[in-house]
Amino acid sequence: MPTFTAPDGTELACHLRGEGEPLIVLPGGAMRASAYLGDLGGLTAHRRLVLLDLRGTGDSAVPADPATYRCDRQVDDVEALRVHLGLDRMDLLAHSAGGNLATLYAARFPERVSRLALITATPWALGLPVTVEDRLRAARLRAAEPWFAEAYAAFEAAWTGRGPFDDAMMPLFYGRWDDTARAHMAAEEEQTNDEASAVYGSAGAYDPPATRAALAALTAPVLVYAGELDTGPTPDLARRAADLFPNARFTVQPGGGHFPWLDDPESFAGSVTAFLDGR
């Protein structure tokens, strides 16, 4: 488990899995330890994954200043990892909330990104929030599922402010609600730093007009990857995000939820590998 030091002195850790050219991976959550990403549906057969534990998560140290959990403040951590690895340019993959960190990194350091894969990435940094109606409309696509009534009631209550975020709604985050998904969900609480999650997207984290303008200098190919059944980002929102990059490819995984590598590992790994290989 390699470790390195962030500019503010925080000791950060990353985990290496697989063989081949390095692929730097930023987790979502927000602020969930990288363990939940597993081998990303078998990407380890094609690439050497470098999975970063963001500060205060997994094996990375808690920073002295909690304000540094804010997304834009962590861009320097990603740059420190690149320098530590001795890479002039790097392939970068980010999931969910981590897509905002990757987007901010690409906007600040466009010359350091060779390829960027945004996997079911919520595009807050681009000024494209997921609306409650977007989420509810997407959730209703699952009406035929045996668990739908209970899950939708909890989901609707949570997103409209009438109830807490309850585990009962979690089937709506997965394309397949099976034993693999249940185990994945059960690990979430232990893997997530709730204090850091609350700070991650707090006031000042994003400046969408400035980010959009800076991305005009990004020549690297970008993959915006959506799950057909994801409630946030929905495929439509992900497509709108793709339109804001100069050189983007938009892909939807049929039957995929927010964690598409669990729903169809072969399809996910094949699509992402083809992008990274320039095919």
Side-chain angles (χ1 to χ4, degrees):
M1 182 187 67
T3 61
F4 63 101
T5 305
D8 69 346
T10 304
E11 288 296 311
L12 303 178
C14 58
H15 300 268
L16 306 180
R17 297 184 185 137
E19 302 294 334
E21 293 296 313
L23 174 63
I24 284 65
V25 181
L26 306 181
M31 301 303 290
R32 185 171 177 178
S34 66
Y36 83 95
L37 295 163
D39 67 355
L40 284 173
L43 272 182
T44 47
H46 309 278
R47 287 298 185 105
R48 185 172 182 80
L49 304 186
V50 182
L51 299 115
L52 176 63
D53 278 340
L54 303 180
R55 51 181 52 221
T57 71
D59 291 307
S60 288
V62 172
D65 180 5
T68 62
Y69 287 134
R70 207 173 71 179
C71 182
D72 60 317
R73 302 281 297 272
Q74 296 190 63
V75 171
D76 287 335
D77 294 352
V78 180
E79 175 64 359
L81 174 57
R82 181 194 66 80
V83 172
H84 172 75
L85 296 172
L87 299 174
D88 181 58
R89 303 176 75 209
M90 59 185 179
D91 289 344
L92 187 60
L93 180 148
H95 173 244
S96 189
N100 295 282
L101 178 54
T103 297
L104 294 184
Y105 179 85
R108 192 186 303 178
F109 298 102
E111 73 285 358
R112 298 302 186 185
V113 179
S114 50
R115 288 184 179 271
L116 172 62
L118 300 174
I119 309 302
T120 60
T122 45
W124 304 317
L126 297 172
L128 296 175
V130 187
T131 69
V132 171
E133 187 49 44
D134 285 341
R135 293 187 186 277
L136 297 180
R137 187 182 305 112
R140 289 193 290 270
L141 296 175
R142 315 295 296 279
E145 299 280 4
W147 43 258
F148 175 77
E150 180 183 5
Y152 184 80
F155 190 82
E156 183 180 36
W159 288 111
T160 57
R162 296 185 293 104
F165 282 80
D166 190 277
D167 285 351
M169 72 181 192
M170 292 308 296
L172 287 162
F173 288 83
Y174 296 86
R176 296 186 306 179
W177 186 238
D178 54 14
D179 288 344
T180 296
R182 291 184 182 90
H184 190 263
M185 184 274 288
E188 188 272 339
E189 183 175 358
E190 182 180 350
Q191 292 171 342
T192 302
N193 182 330
D194 290 332
E195 176 191 6
S197 182
V199 176
Y200 187 80
S202 58
Y206 308 123
D207 183 349
T211 299
R212 292 188 187 197
L215 288 173
L218 181 66
T219 59
V222 177
L223 173 65
V224 177
Y225 195 96
E228 179 188 18
L229 302 176
D230 196 358
T231 61
T234 61
D236 180 65
L237 186 64
R239 179 193 54 76
R240 290 166 56 200
D243 289 343
L244 298 177
F245 292 92
N247 182 15
R249 175 192 302 181
F250 172 60
T251 298
V252 178
Q253 180 174 307
H258 196 61
F259 307 93
W261 63 91
L262 296 178
D263 301 318
D264 188 340
E266 184 176 353
S267 175
F268 176 83
S271 294
V272 174
T273 299
F275 167 73
L276 295 172
D277 290 347
R279 294 185 275 115

